[in-house]
């Protein structure tokens, strides 16, 4: 047996889009549906959801079953947190609240085996419970996708050093946290916020780091526009938003006066025989 190539890394190396799903709900079924739909990757949000590690493991299995890569946004840049998800088979790690080069190096040390990092060796699920551990220990450093999140204004002073790290595969911007750290929460049209975003994007382009984006309310038009701008790593919506938006679309008919505007049905007063 052998460690397969990371589908997302392969697509990005070819300058192809890598579109993914995002899971907030505590349901392996949602994860399976996202993977079954054809996304290249599906990310479990372990930072802002109630998903347990036991449930995440079932999600990973469901995602892998349909050929997508199981990713996770960890709750913090913490060795034990990251190690647990890697050991259970995460193929991509998204690390939140990166503010400095030191934060990046800490994350890399948690994700990479020696000599590139300090990840500890074991024989968990990611190694086939030891069945292909030798291959995994050799290849994991190249096949684990690593994305960092820039979501605090303090990161700007270290952007050059952060983006110069070749081990980073993509960068996500957390717009709400970033704008909040600037004292203008949610003001995405603010001129200062737009300048900061432009700086991050230009630095990413300068250093050849893939720019990622989470389009929470996606449409085909929005995603195509992002692809035209050169953004290749895109999270499309999330399970909870998809469920809410589609539910509201039809529930709104319940609150309307549509029945008063249509012809009343002809009822049969005869009992069924």
């Amino acid at each position: 047996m052998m460690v397969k190539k990371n589908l997302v890394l392969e697509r990005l190396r070819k300058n192809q889009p890598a579109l993914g799903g995002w899971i907030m709900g505590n349901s392996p079924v949602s994860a399976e549906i996202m993977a079954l739909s054809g996304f290249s990757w599906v990310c479990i949000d372990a930072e802002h959801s109630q998903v347990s590690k036991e449930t995440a493991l079932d999600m990973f299995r469901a995602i892998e079953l349909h050929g997508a890569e199981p990713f996770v946004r960890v709750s913090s840049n913490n060795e034990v947190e990251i190690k647990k998800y890697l050991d259970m088979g995460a193929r991509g790690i998204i690390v939140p609240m990166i503010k400095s080069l030191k934060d990046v190096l800490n994350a890399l040390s948690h994700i990479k085996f020696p000599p590139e990092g300090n990840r500890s060796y074991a024989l968990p699920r990611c190694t086939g419970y030891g069945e292909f551990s030798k291959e995994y220990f050799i290849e994991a450093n190249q096949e684990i996708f690593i994305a960092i999140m820039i979501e605090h204004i303090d990161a700007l002073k270290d952007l050059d050093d952060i983006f110069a790290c070749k081990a980073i595969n993509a960068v996500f911007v957390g717009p709400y946290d970033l704008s909040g750290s600037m004292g203008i929460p949610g003001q995405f049209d603010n001129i200062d916020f737009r300048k900061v975003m432009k700086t991050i994007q230009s630095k990413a382009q300068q250093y050849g780091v893939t720019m990622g984006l989470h389009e929470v309310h996606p449409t085909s038009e929005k995603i195509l526009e992002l692809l035209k701008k050169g953004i290749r790593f895109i999270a499309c919506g999330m399970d909870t938003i998809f469920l809410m938006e589609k539910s509201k679309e039809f529930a709104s008919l319940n609150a309307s006066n549509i029945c008063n505007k249509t012809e009343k049905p002809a009822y049969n007063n005869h009992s069924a025989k």
Side-chain angles (χ1 to χ4, degrees), residues 14 60 67 75 78 119 150 154 158 190 208 234 271:
K14 298 175 183 177
F60 286 177
S75 62
N78 174 274
R119 181 183 172 189
I150 301 296
D154 287 353
D158 246 5
N190 182 286
I234 306 173
S271 59

Side-chain angles (χ1 to χ4, degrees), residues 99-116:
K99 299 180 183 179
S100 66
L101 174 62
K102 181 180 178 182
D103 288 343
V104 174
L105 297 178
N106 283 338
L108 295 177
S109 74
H110 304 331
I111 297 169
K112 302 278 191 179
F113 286 118
E116 297 173 58

Side-chain angles (χ1 to χ4, degrees), residues 144-182:
I144 301 298
F145 181 91
I146 302 172
I148 62 168
M149 296 195 70
I150 301 296
E151 42 190 351
H152 198 283
I153 193 63
D154 287 353
L156 261 69
K157 64 181 183 298
D158 246 5
L159 271 189
D160 285 289
D161 290 335
I162 290 172
F163 287 164
C165 288
K166 299 300 182 182
I168 296 173
N169 301 118
V171 57
F172 260 132
V173 174
Y176 280 97
D177 283 328
L178 179 58
S179 61
S181 73
M182 298 172 64

Side-chain angles (χ1 to χ4, degrees), residues 8-22:
V8 175
L9 290 173
E10 290 294 293
R11 291 187 67 86
L12 292 179
R13 288 182 187 122
K14 298 175 183 177
N15 199 34
Q16 296 175 341
L19 306 186
W22 200 272

